[in-house]
Amino acid sequence: MADFSCTAPLLIYPIILFILFFSSLRSQFDSPSPSSSPSSSSLSCSTPPPPPPPLIKYFDNGSRNRSLEKKKKKCFKRMEESLAKARAAIWKAGRSRTYTPYMNESFFPRGAVYRNPSAFYQSHIEMEKIFKIWTYEEGEKPLFHSGPMNLIYGIEGQFMDELESKKCPFAARRPDEAMLFFIPVSVVNIIRFVYRPYTSDASYSRDRLQGLVSDYIQVISRKYPFWNQSSGADHFMVSCHDWAPEISAANPKFFEHFMRVLCNANTSEGFKPVRDVALPEIYVPFGMLGPPRLGHPPANRSILAFFAGGAHGEVRNILFHHWKEKDQDVQVHEYLPKTLNYTELMGKSKFCLCPSGFEVASPRVVESIYAGCVPVIISDNYSLPFGDVLEWSQFSVHIPITRIPEIKTILRAIPMQEYLKKQKLVMQVQRHFTLNRPAKRFDVLHMVLHSMWLRRINIQLPL
C-alpha cells in the first residue's frame, strides 16, 4: 500500500447538512409560479431570510505550494462566490415557492413525490449554470476511463462514458475551473482483468484493488494540488460493484472525506448519506438503455405482489422460506419457468418485491418503476437514491425484514385509493430513473450529478 504524506487534517462542523433543507422547507404548494427576475412582485412581498452559509468548512495544513497561493485564492474566491449565489437562489426558491427561469421550460417538478419542488428545480438550474467536473487524464484502459456498459453493472460504464464525452456540458475544460474531480477507476474492470481467474481464497483479497486506487491517487496528488488542498473532499469515484465500498477500508482516515457514488449504499457498512451518493442499480441490456416497459393500467394488474430471482443472501432466503411457490396473490419464484416472462409479470403486478441480495441494492427497484409497479423495499439499511429530493414513502412501501411473513397482510391493508396514488407517482418518477445517452435534463444521470452537486455546494474549500 502506498504511503501518503499529503493528507491534510480537516475540521468538520457537525451542523445539519444543507441538502436537508429540502425536507425542512417542504412546500405545500405544488404549482409555483415562475419569476423573471429577483425584483418580481411575487418575490418582493415576502423577503426570505439570508441564505445559509456553507455548513462544512475544510482547512488545510498550510503545506500548499506558495508560488501558486495567490492564483489559487483568486480561483477559490470566485468559485465560492458563485456557489454562494447558487445557495441563495435555492434558499429563496424554497422559501418563496418560485423559481427563476433558465431556459425553455418543458418540465417542472410537482406533487407530493418531491420534498420541495421549487428548491429542487432551482437547484437543478443552478447546477446547469456552473457545475463543472474534471476527469483526471492519468491511467490507461481498461482499468481506468472504461467501465461496463451493459448488464447489472452497466450504470458504472454509462456514467463514466457520459462524463468523459466531449458533449457533456458538465465536463470542465481545465482542472482549475472544476468543482469536483473524478477518479476514473473501474472496480468491475479491475476485478475482471486483475483478479480473474480466481485460484484460491487468497485471490479474493481486496489488497490489489485498494493498492491500485491508492497508488493512482498518490500519482495525481503529486502532480496536481487539488487532492491535497481539500483532503479529497471534492474528489469522487463511481462504482456499482459490491467490492467498491472496501476501497477506503485499508486507510479510512485518508479517504475520510472522499465522495463515493455507489450502488451498494449500505449505511451499516460505512455508507454516509451526508458525503456519499446512492447510485441506482440498472440492468442495461445489450442494444438497449433499459428493459422494455410492459406495464398495464392499475385495473388490469391481477397479481398482488411478485418476485423472481436467485437465492442470494439471507433476506431472500427468509422470503423464500415463507412465500416461495406458496401463494397465488404473493407470487415468489426462485427461477421462472421458460413459459413465463419476467417483465410481463412485473407489468401485471400491483406491488413488486425488492429484497436485498448479497448487498442492499437491487436492479428490481428501477425495474419496478419502469413497469409502473409500486416497489416494496425489503431492506433495513439501504440509503435509497435521490432521497435528498424524492419522498420515497409516497411511491413505495417499506417492509422491515422481520415482517416478511406479514407481506400479504401489509399489502392488502393498503386502501385502493392509496395504492392508486402511489402507482400514479411511480409513473411520475420514471423520468428520474430513465437512462438516456446523451443524458437529458432530470434523467437518471442528471439526478446522480445533482446528488453530487448538493454535496459539493455544502463544502467550502480553504482560501
Side-chain angles (χ1 to χ4, degrees), residues 11-303:
L11 178 62
I12 301 181
Y13 294 104
I15 310 175
I16 186 169
L17 185 65
F18 173 78
I19 56 176
L20 295 184
F21 98 112
F22 279 120
S23 178
S24 64
L25 294 182
R26 181 173 178 179
S27 172
Q28 297 180 2
F29 299 86
D30 294 336
S31 301
S33 58
S35 169
S36 59
S37 70
S39 60
S40 170
S41 59
S42 63
L43 296 179
S44 59
C45 62
S46 177
T47 304
L55 303 176
I56 302 177
K57 296 187 178 183
Y58 290 86
F59 297 89
D60 69 359
N61 60 1
S63 62
R64 295 167 295 181
N65 189 326
R66 299 303 176 184
S67 64
L68 298 177
E69 189 80 16
K70 185 175 181 180
K71 181 179 179 181
K72 286 169 60 179
K73 282 187 175 182
K74 184 178 180 180
C75 179
F76 289 161
K77 183 178 180 180
R78 184 169 60 249
M79 185 180 299
E80 292 303 323
E81 287 175 350
S82 66
L83 289 171
K85 291 179 181 178
R87 281 192 294 270
I90 298 168
W91 181 263
K92 195 170 190 176
R95 298 283 295 194
S96 62
R97 299 179 287 108
T98 62
Y99 65 94
T100 305
Y102 176 51
M103 56 177 65
N104 294 330
E105 311 295 350
S106 59
F107 166 75
F108 182 85
R110 291 180 172 86
V113 73
Y114 299 102
R115 292 183 178 274
N116 187 309
S118 301
F120 166 47
Y121 194 75
Q122 189 67 48
S123 179
H124 198 283
I125 289 174
E126 299 303 322
M127 177 185 76
E128 292 178 283
K129 289 179 181 179
I130 65 174
F131 192 38
K132 297 296 180 183
I133 297 172
W134 174 259
T135 301
Y136 284 109
E137 298 174 346
E138 286 69 22
E140 298 181 1
K141 296 180 179 181
L143 305 187
F144 301 91
H145 303 284
S146 176
M149 302 287 285
N150 299 101
L151 305 181
I152 194 169
Y153 301 127
I155 189 66
E156 177 181 313
Q158 294 287 346
F159 184 92
M160 188 179 297
D161 188 66
E162 175 73 21
L163 199 55
E164 298 206 44
S165 168
K166 294 181 180 180
K167 296 181 180 180
C168 179
F170 299 102
R173 296 167 298 173
R174 306 181 311 275
D176 60 356
E177 71 175 13
M179 295 180 176
L180 282 181
F181 297 85
F182 180 32
I183 305 295
V185 58
S186 172
V187 175
V188 174
N189 280 354
I190 287 177
I191 293 169
R192 178 184 177 188
F193 294 104
V194 176
Y195 277 80
R196 293 180 179 172
Y198 304 121
T199 57
S200 66
D201 290 343
S203 299
Y204 291 90
S205 171
R206 310 301 195 257
D207 291 349
R208 283 176 288 174
L209 171 63
Q210 294 164 341
L212 277 167
V213 177
S214 296
D215 289 346
Y216 184 90
I217 294 175
Q218 184 180 53
V219 169
I220 58 101
S221 66
R222 288 176 175 174
K223 187 173 181 179
Y224 307 99
F226 308 110
W227 176 279
N228 293 341
Q229 68 194 16
S230 69
S231 291
D234 54 358
H235 287 60
F236 72 95
M237 62 166 284
V238 175
S239 182
C240 210
H241 197 278
D242 297 347
W243 289 15
E246 299 186 51
I247 286 177
S248 55
N251 195 340
K253 184 65 177 177
F254 182 77
F255 288 102
E256 183 179 0
H257 310 292
F258 183 53
M259 184 190 302
R260 303 172 304 167
V261 183
L262 305 173
C263 288
N264 186 16
N266 190 335
T267 57
S268 70
E269 296 179 357
F271 183 90
K272 297 181 179 180
V274 169
R275 175 198 66 194
D276 300 323
V277 171
L279 181 67
E281 190 167 319
I282 301 176
Y283 186 89
V284 185
F286 287 97
M288 302 172 64
L289 291 177
R293 304 194 181 190
L294 304 177
H296 290 256
N300 296 340
R301 293 177 179 263
S302 58
I303 303 171

